[in-house]
Amino acid sequence: MEEASQNLQNSPNFTNADSVSQECENLISSLPSEKDSTGKTLYNYQGSWYYPNTIQSILNFQKYFEARDTDIILASFPKSGTTWLKALAFAVVHRNKYAANLVSHPLLSDNPHNLVRFLEADLYVNNQRPDLKELSSPRLFATHMPFQTLHESLRDSPCKVVYVCRDIKDALVSRWHFIRKLVKKEYLYSNYPVEEMVEKFIKGAYSFGPFQDQVLSYLKESLVNSNPLLFMRYEEMIEKPEAQVMRLADFLGCSFTEEEKKSGTVENILELCSLSNLSNLEVNKTGTSTCGIAHHAFFRKGGVGDWKNHLTDDMAIKLDEMVEKKLQASGLKFQ
Ligand code: PAP
């Protein structure tokens, strides 16, 4: 959900990229700004870069969202495993309502992004007060905002936050593919060179960037715990999916029982939410999500290390060093 969205002329949620309130316009005029490669302006709000329409929806969210103590917020930097985490969390939380292997499971007929909707990139786009009161608890939401921006609306609530983090290089390459896949030939981004994406990541001014600042915001929070926070890593989910999904269930307060473990519930959920299963569903081949993106664009290769096919060693070293430097300066480590 990012630069490409600025080019989605047919998307209902992204057409009014610059239609913002007077209040938002005043705020924006005071913020640091940078031009992207198409000449559109990004602004830095609370330490992260956004296009104006996203700042407007963040303001809507910060002003009007009323957290419930039972809410669950799934947070991520774009292209870090959001779709997978949404599917897993939905399946885990609602497993008593929908058996994971039944044909009627919502994940078989709808995309994870419609079942767990983004706050700033969907629900609050062009809508100051989406009706969220009717949703039954626990409500699941998602965000790409850094913790400090999300926290403004969670201050008075002990609701849970799950953050999924992925190697910057794989997240970058995934974003690059996403932009090229999503955007029609006539738009500039279909010929977007990966070098430009790397430059952008090094410079830091791109939507929801800088990566390392966002990761640090959640890493810090996982120590402070003003909200209960589970820090997950995409690579660990790939390596040990059973252990990670059980960790997720434990954190969400719905641990798998011994009987569930014996009867294969964990495996069923993992199979239901697997990249191969989800990407081959009719709904994910054809549909468009509530945030205006074609479902198929959220699924590609998955896994760890695809960056090796697209980035040079020099690029990789620069990106890794940049992240390490940021984390070292804070005295924090991933593990
Ligand atoms: P978003 O931030 O726009 O929602 P997000 O789901 O975080 O996107 O990232 C998409 C990546 O997750 C893609 O990675 P790739 O480009 O390296 O292939 C996509 O393939 C991968 N992905 C999507 N669904 C799954 C899944 N069920 N299991 C594992 N990986 C997945």
Side-chain angles (χ1 to χ4, degrees), residues 79-83 113 144 166 174 234 273 298 300-302:
K79 305 296 146 203
S80 299
T82 327
T83 313
H113 291 282
H144 286 323
R166 190 181 192 188
S174 180
Y234 183 85
C273 301
F298 293 107
R300 197 180 61 91
K301 201 172 176 180

Side-chain angles (χ1 to χ4, degrees), residues 1-2 76-84 86-87 113 118 144 166 170 173-175 177-178 234 238 273-276 278 297-303 306:
M1 234 62 51
E2 35 166 330
S76 59
F77 179 80
K79 305 296 146 203
S80 299
T82 327
T83 313
W84 193 14
K86 284 183 176 191
H113 291 282
F118 282 110
H144 286 323
R166 190 181 192 188
D170 281 335
V173 165
S174 180
R175 185 174 181 135
H177 277 291
F178 177 73
Y234 183 85
I238 293 281
C273 301
S274 68
L275 178 57
S276 60
L278 293 181
F298 293 107
F299 307 98
R300 197 180 61 91
K301 201 172 176 180
D306 188 38

